[in-house]
Amino acid sequence: MTLAVRGSYDHEEAARHLGSLSEPAYLATAQHFGSAETMRATAAGEREGWVYARRGNPTVGYLEDTVAALEGYQVDAEVSAAVTTTGMAAITLATMPFLSSAVGARPNIVASPACYGSTVMVFDKRYGEERGVGVRWVEDPLSVADWERRIDEDTRFLYAESPSNPTVQLVDIPPLAALARRARIPLIIDATLATPALMRPLALGADIVVHSLTKAAGASGRSMGGAVIARHDLDLRRQPAELAADFAGYLRRGPMRDMGSVLSPFNAWTLLADIRELRSRVDAMSASALRVAEHLAGRGDVVEVFYPGLPSHRTHHLARRDMWLVDSDGPGREAVNRFGFLLGFRPAGGVPAAHGVLDRLRLFWRANNLGQVKSTATIPAIGTHQQIAGDDPVPPDMIRLSVGLEHADDLIEDLDQALTGSGVPGPAEPAADRAE
């Protein structure tokens, strides 16, 4: 909590900004220089400065420092971060540099298939079909042997979501990290659904972590953003020394600068405001999500519930081991397991029933975002995963719930009336929206 509130903006830094208690928003695209020599030295990296917004911005830098501090907490390594325009930009920037043909003509990647739909599209379509990268999806993400037999001398990285969207499956990070170290390739984990409040993959052995800051980190729903956080001094085969020494710094100095996927300082400023309460917010949302999941699991008209906090979930044992509310232990206190704010369920009756339940929800917002203070519901097969429908392991009748900060009793009451059919469908969409 202290790291989220303070970040790198301390008393000394505040004194340089007229004592402002909050990080100032530098809504400017460029920096003025007092002389040609100052311009040259700053652009060359010989003195402190930010030069031009595509290369950096002070407000964006405050957010990068804060995210690195949160994800690097209790990690025995130096850690740095680069923030991006969106979570998908973070995923692309975290993976693309490893696919250079300069270090091998036929690169391949090994990944868990339990991934967000757009991630699958990037790997299969943008990398595989358009650039000839071999994409090797493991059949069982919990089988380390399954991962290992797909790795060869041209494999560039291992990739997984933990927990995954929307089936909230975890992977066993420590043995996967050991496997990646033996192969001298990075293990990249998308930990958006856990957030640093519940799990820090770098502490479990991962090399690189990605987040969509649009989700729980930016729970007000006002800004989009992403982050790449990496440990320094990675031992990587056939990769440039600069990349391995400080991957996030390498992204800022090269790919991000050249390709322009930089975060707006205004968005960074709003995300800084949201991220301060990350721990307490995720704690409350997760506690409510567990209550909702347990309630749904007890209903006879619900076929299946997907939530790692339930003993019936396939990766419950990993969640019990790895997902803890940060700093919940202490003198006289036991550490508290928290299992996140996302869950899914399948109502009896198949796809028509799922559509009917979604339409009858009154309190949940029918929306494809997650991690917000407002609870949302969607059917991934027609929303977040529509572009890969038919090839995706997500059931077509699954409803995904993102539990926000409403009272859990109110959310449960809304779900009960929607499941029993006692409610009425929500208001029709505006005509302009229907036309789209």
Side-chain angles (χ1 to χ4, degrees), residues 150-225:
R150 297 172 195 276
I151 298 172
D152 61 26
E153 62 181 10
D154 291 318
T155 301
R156 301 300 177 83
F157 59 81
L158 308 183
Y159 184 95
E161 289 182 16
S162 191
S164 64
N165 175 16
T167 54
V168 282
Q169 297 184 61
L170 284 79
V171 295
D172 198 351
I173 293 176
L176 288 183
L179 179 61
R181 281 195 298 273
R182 289 196 297 273
R184 299 183 65 207
I185 56 178
L187 171 62
I188 305 172
I189 298 291
D190 181 340
T192 295
L193 296 187
T195 82
L198 303 185
M199 183 176 70
R200 291 165 304 287
L202 297 180
L204 297 171
D207 300 295
I208 300 167
V209 177
V210 295
H211 284 284
S212 171
L213 300 180
T214 313
K215 309 304 190 292
S220 68
R222 293 186 176 94
S223 295
M224 300 186 78

Side-chain angles (χ1 to χ4, degrees), residues 103 120 133 151 153 171 204 219 293 328 370 434:
V103 294
V120 175
V133 174
I151 298 172
E153 62 181 10
V171 295
L204 297 171
S328 57
L370 57 87
R434 290 201 302 271

Side-chain angles (χ1 to χ4, degrees), residues 117-168:
S118 292
T119 305
V120 175
M121 291 294 289
V122 168
F123 288 179
D124 273 348
K125 303 295 183 182
R126 308 302 158 227
Y127 291 167
E129 292 185 13
E130 295 178 3
R131 290 166 177 79
V133 174
V135 182
R136 301 174 178 181
W137 299 104
V138 297
E139 293 180 9
D140 180 4
L142 291 186
S143 170
V144 177
D146 196 348
W147 290 82
E148 185 170 19
R149 66 171 167 264
R150 297 172 195 276
I151 298 172
D152 61 26
E153 62 181 10
D154 291 318
T155 301
R156 301 300 177 83
F157 59 81
L158 308 183
Y159 184 95
E161 289 182 16
S162 191
S164 64
N165 175 16
T167 54
V168 282

Side-chain angles (χ1 to χ4, degrees), residues 351 353-359 367-368 377-386 394-400:
V351 171
H355 285 231
V357 170
L358 188 72
D359 285 346
N368 286 318
T378 187
I379 297 174
I382 64 171
T384 58
H385 288 61
Q386 184 182 112
V394 178
D397 58 348
M398 175 188 183
I399 298 174
R400 188 192 76 185

Side-chain angles (χ1 to χ4, degrees), residues 46-389:
E46 297 172 4
R47 68 183 301 277
E48 187 177 349
W50 52 281
V51 183
Y52 180 58
R54 187 158 46 81
R55 297 184 53 163
N57 173 278
T59 310
V60 173
Y62 291 135
L63 179 60
E64 288 173 333
D65 291 343
T66 301
V67 171
L70 293 177
E71 199 62 50
Y73 182 56
Q74 297 178 331
V75 175
D76 186 21
E78 191 173 357
V79 171
S80 58
V83 295
T84 64
T85 49
T86 65
M88 286 311 304
I91 290 168
T92 303
L93 282 162
T95 55
M96 180 192 61
F98 296 105
L99 302 177
S100 170
S101 60
V103 294
R106 186 70 170 106
N108 68 74
I109 64 179
V110 181
S112 166
C115 282
Y116 176 51
S118 292
T119 305
V120 175
M121 291 294 289
V122 168
F123 288 179
D124 273 348
K125 303 295 183 182
R126 308 302 158 227
Y127 291 167
E129 292 185 13
E130 295 178 3
R131 290 166 177 79
V133 174
V135 182
R136 301 174 178 181
W137 299 104
V138 297
E139 293 180 9
D140 180 4
L142 291 186
S143 170
V144 177
D146 196 348
W147 290 82
E148 185 170 19
R149 66 171 167 264
R150 297 172 195 276
I151 298 172
D152 61 26
E153 62 181 10
D154 291 318
T155 301
R156 301 300 177 83
F157 59 81
L158 308 183
Y159 184 95
E161 289 182 16
S162 191
S164 64
N165 175 16
T167 54
V168 282
Q169 297 184 61
L170 284 79
V171 295
D172 198 351
I173 293 176
L176 288 183
L179 179 61
R181 281 195 298 273
R182 289 196 297 273
R184 299 183 65 207
I185 56 178
L187 171 62
I188 305 172
I189 298 291
D190 181 340
T192 295
L193 296 187
T195 82
L198 303 185
M199 183 176 70
R200 291 165 304 287
L202 297 180
L204 297 171
D207 300 295
I208 300 167
V209 177
V210 295
H211 284 284
S212 171
L213 300 180
T214 313
K215 309 304 190 292
S220 68
R222 293 186 176 94
S223 295
M224 300 186 78
V228 181
I229 310 98
R231 61 172 72 239
H232 290 195
D233 300 318
L234 300 174
D235 180 19
L236 303 176
R237 68 188 185 195
R238 296 189 298 176
Q239 294 295 342
E242 182 188 7
L243 179 153
D246 176 8
F247 182 63
Y250 170 83
L251 292 179
R252 291 193 302 271
R253 293 186 297 270
M256 290 180 63
R257 176 200 66 197
D258 298 338
M259 298 179 182
S261 55
V262 296
L263 185 66
S264 154
F266 180 79
N267 286 3
W269 188 61
T270 64
L271 289 168
L272 277 165
D274 283 343
I275 208 169
R276 299 193 198 285
E277 300 173 347
L278 179 66
R279 180 187 181 277
S280 58
R281 190 169 59 239
V282 169
D283 182 19
M285 291 159 62
S286 299
S288 292
L290 178 59
R291 282 197 57 201
V292 170
E294 290 174 338
H295 179 80
L296 289 171
R299 290 188 59 107
D301 53 2
V302 171
V303 174
E304 186 175 9
V305 178
F306 302 81
Y307 189 66
L310 298 178
S312 59
H313 193 273
R314 187 178 183 224
T315 59
H316 177 67
H317 64 294
L318 295 177
R320 284 290 303 272
R321 186 193 70 188
D322 294 342
M323 298 186 73
W324 299 91
L325 181 64
V326 64
D327 290 338
S328 57
D329 56 343
R333 303 194 312 271
E334 292 187 1
V336 177
N337 273 127
R338 285 287 185 254
F339 304 105
F341 49 82
L342 198 79
L343 64 134
F345 71 98
R346 298 170 56 216
V351 171
H355 285 231
V357 170
L358 188 72
D359 285 346
R360 285 189 292 271
L361 290 171
R362 294 170 171 174
L363 182 57
F364 281 88
W365 298 77
R366 285 176 290 278
N368 286 318
N369 203 3
L370 57 87
Q372 306 289 275
V373 295
K374 296 182 177 182
S375 294
T376 60
T378 187
I379 297 174
I382 64 171
T384 58
H385 288 61
Q386 184 182 112
Q387 67 267 47
I388 55 173

